[in-house]
Amino acid sequence: EPEVTQTPSHQVTQMGQEVILRCVPISNHLYFYWYRQILGQKVEFLVSFYNNEISEKSEIFDDQFSVERPDGSNFTLKIRSTKLEDSAMYFCAGSMGRRDTEAFFGQGTRLTVV
Amino acid sequence: GIQVEQSPPDLILQEGANSTLRCNFSDSVNNLQWFHQNPWGQLINLFYIPSGTKQNGRLSATTVATERYSLLYISSSQTTDSGVYFCAGAYSGGGADGLTFGKGTHLIIQP
């Protein structure tokens, strides 16, 4: 069964450093998403991406964040200058349609900023 | 956007027991999903169930869209069922692309 793959599974970075989180979505999906879960809290929507551009972003997704799909398979989330409060689990997800179709999630990348 | 409320927040059961987890949502949805977050933090898809009833082994789910709630049933619980169960929905009237998650039910199954 096809699945969403995220790398790395865990990343530790120094405050102020740039990080890139990577995702390989399911091949026939058209909509792509990043979500964030701070430890012990609920999962929060960050951004959606469709047709090679951002479809929607939440208020969490500020200028420190960017997304791209550079080669038609990978989907990346970049944080330019990490802060302690960026420490969280980041999930990539994809779906065939927009909000009314099932979303499939990757296993997550745990980001720790020290 | 919609609000998603889950209950109970915590549940401790003995192995073999049955449980019912509830998800209320504030407005009509055209997407309702249940997930299990295991101890390693992975989100496992359980059900895509904007309406009706589905079953998968010991788990089943029912969504009554007109009354804005969904239920997840776990029968004959096993220790591996432990973890956090999230429901998440998307408002059918437009708005946010992404799913809105509840705060989850933390389930502990004791041997």
Side-chain angles (χ1 to χ4, degrees):
Chain A
E1 186 174 323
E3 58 182 22
V4 179
T5 305
Q6 290 186 241
T7 54
S9 55
H10 190 188
Q11 181 155 1
V12 181
T13 190
Q14 296 269 350
M15 191 169 54
Q17 294 297 304
E18 174 183 287
V19 295
I20 298 176
L21 309 183
R22 303 180 191 278
C23 171
V24 178
I26 296 171
S27 60
N28 63 348
H29 283 178
L30 300 176
Y31 290 81
F32 311 104
Y33 311 86
W34 284 100
Y35 290 80
R36 180 184 80 176
Q37 184 185 31
I38 294 172
L39 184 65
Q41 299 187 20
K42 66 179 181 179
V43 179
E44 299 174 290
F45 167 75
L46 287 179
V47 65
S48 58
F49 191 86
Y50 171 71
N51 201 25
N52 283 320
E53 61 183 21
I54 289 175
S55 176
E56 184 180 3
K57 56 186 180 181
S58 73
E59 59 188 21
I60 303 169
F61 193 88
D62 61 22
D63 292 343
Q64 292 282 80
F65 293 92
S66 62
V67 290
E68 62 176 5
R69 196 153 184 255
D71 56 11
S73 58
N74 292 286
F75 179 49
T76 62
L77 174 69
K78 181 191 292 185
I79 309 175
R80 290 188 181 79
S81 178
T82 50
K83 297 174 276 200
L84 294 176
E85 54 264 38
D86 293 326
S87 295
M89 182 77 104
Y90 289 83
F91 293 101
C92 170
S95 61
M96 292 182 64
R98 209 177 171 196
R99 66 177 70 88
D100 59 347
T101 56
E102 186 174 10
F104 292 84
F105 282 70
Q107 78 277 23
T109 292
R110 187 174 299 281
L111 177 65
T112 303
V113 182
V114 297
Chain B
I2 63 168
Q3 307 297 316
V4 179
E5 299 289 335
Q6 291 189 244
S7 60
D10 301 280
L11 188 57
I12 301 174
L13 298 171
Q14 293 296 120
E15 203 168 20
N18 301 328
S19 57
T20 301
L21 282 56
R22 186 176 179 103
C23 175
N24 292 328
F25 33 97
S26 61
D27 219 321
S28 58
V29 295
N30 58 8
N31 184 345
L32 194 289
Q33 294 186 233
W34 283 96
F35 299 90
H36 175 214
Q37 186 166 43
N38 63 22
W40 296 271
Q42 298 170 335
L43 278 176
I44 310 299
N45 282 48
L46 295 178
F47 294 102
Y48 166 72
I49 187 164
S51 64
T53 298
K54 290 186 178 179
Q55 180 155 7
N56 184 4
R58 296 182 296 104
L59 274 62
S60 63
T62 296
T63 297
V64 183
T66 53
E67 297 187 22
R68 301 178 185 171
Y69 72 88
S70 184
L71 302 173
L72 177 69
Y73 305 97
I74 305 174
S75 65
S76 305
S77 300
Q78 300 175 359
T79 55
T80 51
D81 295 330
S82 296
V84 184
Y85 289 80
F86 290 102
C87 71
Y91 175 47
S92 62
D97 275 351
L99 293 170
T100 299
F101 280 74
K103 293 183 178 180
T105 292
H106 187 195
L107 177 64
I108 297 174
I109 305 298
Q110 296 178 330

